[in-house]
Amino acid sequence: MRGERVQLVSDRLDLMQFRVSSKSLEDTSQVPAVLSPVVRIAESEAMRNREMTLNQFDSDNGEPMVMLLNRKHWADPVTEIVKLGSTEIWTLVNLTEDAHPIHLHMVRFQILDRQSFADYEYLANDKILPTGERIPPSPHERGWKDVVQCPPYATTRIIVPFQGYAGRYVWHCHILEHEANDMMRPYEVIS
Ligand SMILES: [Cu+2]
């Protein structure tokens, strides 16, 4: 494309024009070995561990009716009250047959691990009975995150420093049909 002009368009809109130099160039840039150092947060820094369920309730003929977090509706009173500046581990217990991309507003966090568990034991006794090893996050998931993929019938643990501002925020599944069918909850950060 040397010496040419390339137009980027969307439908009938001209978005951007690239003017490609006609001179020859040598690109000496290099991708650094480390893009940005991320210090892993030690589990011992967490002040508390909250177990949070991801729920789906079906109708009598097996149609999904409502999806909830912690078996609570959006409009129920706030149950997660967090101290500004504290660090917590949230264990997301997925009791549904779907994966859910869970997003927390305001904060960034790190993924600790995922582990499959026996859903029948949890449904009967609210106890996590692991059925597999703790699986650490993949290399591309070891940076700062604000969404985490929660696979079905597994726990996904994240460690969250609540830094920023006090106030009321939300956390929710990022699938539109789920968050609008009540898979969204408020949480409160207090100073
Ligand atoms: Cu979902």
Side-chain angles (χ1 to χ4, degrees):
M1 308 300 283
R2 187 182 290 179
E4 292 190 41
R5 294 184 174 194
V6 182
Q7 197 75 27
L8 180 68
V9 294
S10 173
D11 294 327
R12 287 179 302 275
L13 285 177
D14 288 338
L15 295 182
M16 192 189 293
Q17 186 184 75
F18 298 91
R19 296 176 184 179
V20 184
S21 169
S22 53
K23 290 184 204 136
S24 85
L25 284 174
E26 205 179 324
D27 180 7
T28 55
S29 64
Q30 279 185 328
V31 179
V34 176
L35 292 179
S36 179
V38 177
V39 178
R40 298 286 296 171
I41 308 169
E43 280 186 44
S44 56
E45 287 181 37
M47 274 179 60
R48 65 177 286 179
N49 181 354
R50 294 177 199 262
E51 239 172 69
M52 316 281 239
T53 58
L54 318 184
N55 310 101
Q56 176 180 312
F57 296 96
D58 295 344
S59 68
D60 288 343
N61 52 7
E63 303 281 340
M65 295 277 288
V66 66
M67 326 275 299
L68 299 179
L69 298 172
N70 267 335
R71 302 186 181 97
K72 294 217 161 39
H73 286 272
W74 161 250
D76 286 333
V78 178
T79 43
E80 277 61 58
I81 298 168
V82 175
K83 265 202 180 141
L84 182 65
S86 71
T87 296
E88 296 193 358
I89 291 171
W90 284 19
T91 300
L92 304 164
V93 182
N94 187 353
L95 293 162
T96 80
E97 61 188 10
D98 295 318
H100 301 275
I102 296 295
H103 173 47
L104 275 66
H105 283 208
M106 207 272 284
V107 290
R108 58 183 195 165
F109 54 79
Q110 292 177 5
I111 301 171
L112 290 174
D113 49 42
R114 300 183 175 90
Q115 188 174 34
S116 58
F117 68 95
D119 62 313
Y120 56 84
E121 178 65 24
Y122 199 92
L123 291 170
N125 300 314
D126 273 2
K127 264 207 189 116
I128 297 173
L129 173 64
T131 56
E133 298 294 307
R134 285 190 193 280
I135 299 168
S138 313
H140 72 275
E141 290 189 296
R142 288 183 195 172
W144 290 103
K145 306 286 290 177
D146 64 9
V147 178
V148 60
Q149 193 66 259
C150 299
Y153 308 121
T155 56
T156 300
R157 295 195 313 146
I158 57 174
I159 188 162
V160 194
F162 286 89
Q163 287 160 6
Y165 304 92
R168 188 168 290 190
Y169 302 93
V170 298
W171 65 291
H172 62 94
C173 175
H174 231 300
I175 296 172
L176 189 61
E177 291 83 352
H178 293 182
E179 67 179 68
N181 198 13
D182 249 17
M183 212 169 197
M184 182 176 314
R185 286 284 294 156
Y187 77 91
E188 185 110 21
V189 178
I190 54 168
S191 52

